[in-house]
């Protein structure tokens, strides 16, 4: 059985006032029931002026914090800086990329204080996305070195791509990956119809060391269908086949459920527990 984690993003949202205390309590109860082995901390701007409180709460609950998910906007800022450079706006590009690096560094302090050694990274994002992928990859090398200062290794995710596609972007990145790794997301894999292609590519699978689980019910590259984020069984991902392909590739890393259960100000914990049971069954 792979180690199964729950993203705090499944339960912490604007609708419930970003109630991370409730989320930590629920994850602790699920762990005590044997349904998961810990959490993946989804970084939010909401946490930025509450670092000590968030870190203390996680430690006080005694939940294993195995992975941290870097704030997604960092990849967007890097992509936007690349766009500014292309237009010749050198000053604005420099300001943007330094803002991205400073924000990233602050994310790393959360990981360091919690003793988390792996961080999920969105290396591109937003409107510019991977339009200037070489610039994003050059920025990765800076991020890699910053992360190393905090004892953190980066895992680059196969997030949606505008110009190329996640698999080819990973291929471009591989020569510069260093001691980093890759993280495979089933929803994004389905968006680009790349699940089988990715999991049959040994150059890629040998670098995958983390998996995100959620479903997708849209057509090829139908970006508007990425939300709401669906639970397994609500979309088109063949999770049994995906699990078999991962097993054949020798995968034995961590798996995180990302499908939310926020229902207004409440949480559908029964649904969360059922999804975890399903994942445990097939993986």
């Amino acid at each position: 059985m792979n180690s199964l984690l729950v993203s705090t993003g499944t339960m912490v949202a604007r609708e419930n006032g970003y109630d991370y205390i409730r989320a930590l309590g629920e994850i602790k109860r699920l762990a005590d029931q044997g349904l998961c082995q810990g959490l993946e901390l989804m970084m939010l701007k909401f946490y930025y002026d509450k670092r000590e409180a968030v870190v203390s709460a996680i430690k006080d609950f005694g939940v294993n914090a195995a992975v941290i998910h870097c704030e997604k906007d960092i990849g967007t800022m890097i992509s936007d800086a690349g766009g500014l450079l292309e237009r010749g706006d050198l000053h604005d590009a420099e300001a943007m990329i330094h803002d991205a690096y400073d924000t990233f560094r602050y994310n790393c302090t959360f990981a360091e204080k919690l003793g988390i050694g792996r961080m999920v990274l969105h290396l591109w994002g937003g409107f510019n996305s991977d339009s200037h992928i070489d610039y994003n990859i050059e920025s990765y090398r800076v991020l890699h070195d910053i992360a190393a200062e905090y004892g953190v290794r980066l895992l680059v995710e196969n997030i949606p791509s505008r110009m190329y596609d996640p698999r080819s972007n990973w291929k471009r990145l591989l020569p510069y990956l260093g001691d980093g790794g890759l993280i495979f997301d089933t929803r994004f894999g389905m968006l680009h119809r790349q699940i089988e292609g990715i999991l049959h590519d040994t150059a890629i699978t040998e670098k995958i060391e983390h998996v995100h689980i959620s479903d997708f019910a849209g057509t090829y590259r139908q970006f508007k269908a990425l939300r709401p984020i669906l639970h397994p069984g609500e979309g088109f991902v063949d999770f049994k086949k995906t699990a078999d392909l991962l097993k054949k590739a020798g995968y034995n890393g961590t798996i995180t459920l990302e499908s939310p259960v926020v229902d207004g100000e409440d949480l559908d914990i029964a649904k969360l527990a059922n999804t975890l049971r399903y994942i445990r069954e097939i993986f």
Side-chain angles (χ1 to χ4, degrees), residues 6 8 32 51 63 91 115 122 143 162 177 204 216 252 270:
V6 177
T8 55
D32 288 345
R51 183 180 64 185
V63 181
H91 181 269
H122 285 197
L143 298 176
R162 176 173 178 262
L177 193 60
I204 286 177
F216 179 73
N252 60 0

Side-chain angles (χ1 to χ4, degrees), residues 198-271:
I198 284 172
L199 297 182
H200 279 115
D201 190 333
T202 56
I204 286 177
T205 56
E206 68 181 11
K207 295 294 185 179
I208 294 176
E209 57 180 87
H210 189 44
V211 172
H212 280 167
I213 296 291
S214 61
D215 214 335
F216 179 73
T219 57
Y220 171 67
R221 294 174 71 91
Q222 186 184 0
F223 298 104
K224 289 183 179 180
L226 284 169
R227 292 183 181 277
I229 302 173
L230 304 179
H231 280 247
E234 296 178 342
F236 301 145
V237 176
D238 186 335
F239 283 97
K240 291 183 178 179
K241 186 173 184 179
T242 300
D244 287 342
L245 288 171
L246 282 165
K247 291 172 186 175
K248 289 177 181 176
Y251 185 74
N252 60 0
T254 44
I255 296 171
T256 292
L257 173 64
E258 286 200 312
S259 307
V261 292
V262 178
D263 183 12
E265 296 182 359
D266 202 4
L267 301 173
D268 191 343
I269 300 303
K271 183 174 185 177

Side-chain angles (χ1 to χ4, degrees), residues 127-170:
F127 177 78
N128 285 291
S129 187
D130 59 335
S131 298
H132 313 287
I133 190 62
D134 291 340
Y135 180 80
N136 296 69
I137 290 173
E138 186 63 32
S139 299
Y140 165 83
R141 299 168 75 174
V142 178
L143 298 176
H144 171 277
D145 291 346
I146 293 173
E149 296 175 23
Y150 296 88
V152 175
R153 292 175 49 252
L154 298 181
L155 309 181
V156 179
E157 190 168 8
N158 59 315
I159 69 167
S161 301
R162 176 173 178 262
M163 179 66 70
Y164 303 106
D165 62 85
R167 183 183 175 192
S168 68
N169 287 342
W170 271 350

Side-chain angles (χ1 to χ4, degrees), residues 80-90 127-128 132:
D80 288 348
L84 290 168
L85 274 178
E86 184 187 47
R87 294 194 295 271
D89 297 334
L90 303 184
F127 177 78
N128 285 291
H132 313 287

Side-chain angles (χ1 to χ4, degrees), residues 21-175:
I21 298 295
R22 167 84 187 277
L24 293 175
E26 296 295 352
I27 294 173
K28 178 65 164 63
R29 281 185 279 275
L30 291 166
D32 288 345
Q33 295 170 38
L35 292 177
C36 70
Q37 285 71 50
L39 65 82
E40 176 175 325
L41 176 62
M42 171 67 75
M43 284 299 300
L44 303 169
K45 289 186 178 71
F46 177 80
Y47 296 147
Y48 281 9
D49 63 348
K50 305 172 182 64
R51 183 180 64 185
E52 302 310 318
V54 172
V55 169
S56 294
I58 293 173
K59 290 182 177 180
D60 289 346
F61 273 99
V63 181
N64 174 36
V67 181
I68 185 169
H69 193 307
C70 187
E71 186 194 328
K72 299 172 183 179
D73 285 350
I74 291 170
T76 300
M77 286 191 284
I78 292 171
S79 297
D80 288 348
L84 290 168
L85 274 178
E86 184 187 47
R87 294 194 295 271
D89 297 334
L90 303 184
H91 181 269
D92 289 344
E94 184 175 350
M96 179 77 71
I97 197 65
H98 279 296
D99 188 18
Y101 292 159
D102 287 346
T103 304
F104 177 78
R105 185 179 291 276
Y106 192 59
N107 276 232
C108 288
T109 66
F110 279 78
E112 182 183 47
K113 287 179 175 292
L114 287 166
I116 301 175
R118 297 186 301 164
M119 175 181 282
V120 173
L121 173 67
H122 285 197
L123 186 56
W124 55 89
F127 177 78
N128 285 291
S129 187
D130 59 335
S131 298
H132 313 287
I133 190 62
D134 291 340
Y135 180 80
N136 296 69
I137 290 173
E138 186 63 32
S139 299
Y140 165 83
R141 299 168 75 174
V142 178
L143 298 176
H144 171 277
D145 291 346
I146 293 173
E149 296 175 23
Y150 296 88
V152 175
R153 292 175 49 252
L154 298 181
L155 309 181
V156 179
E157 190 168 8
N158 59 315
I159 69 167
S161 301
R162 176 173 178 262
M163 179 66 70
Y164 303 106
D165 62 85
R167 183 183 175 192
S168 68
N169 287 342
W170 271 350
K171 289 283 199 178
R172 293 178 178 89
L173 175 65
L174 284 178

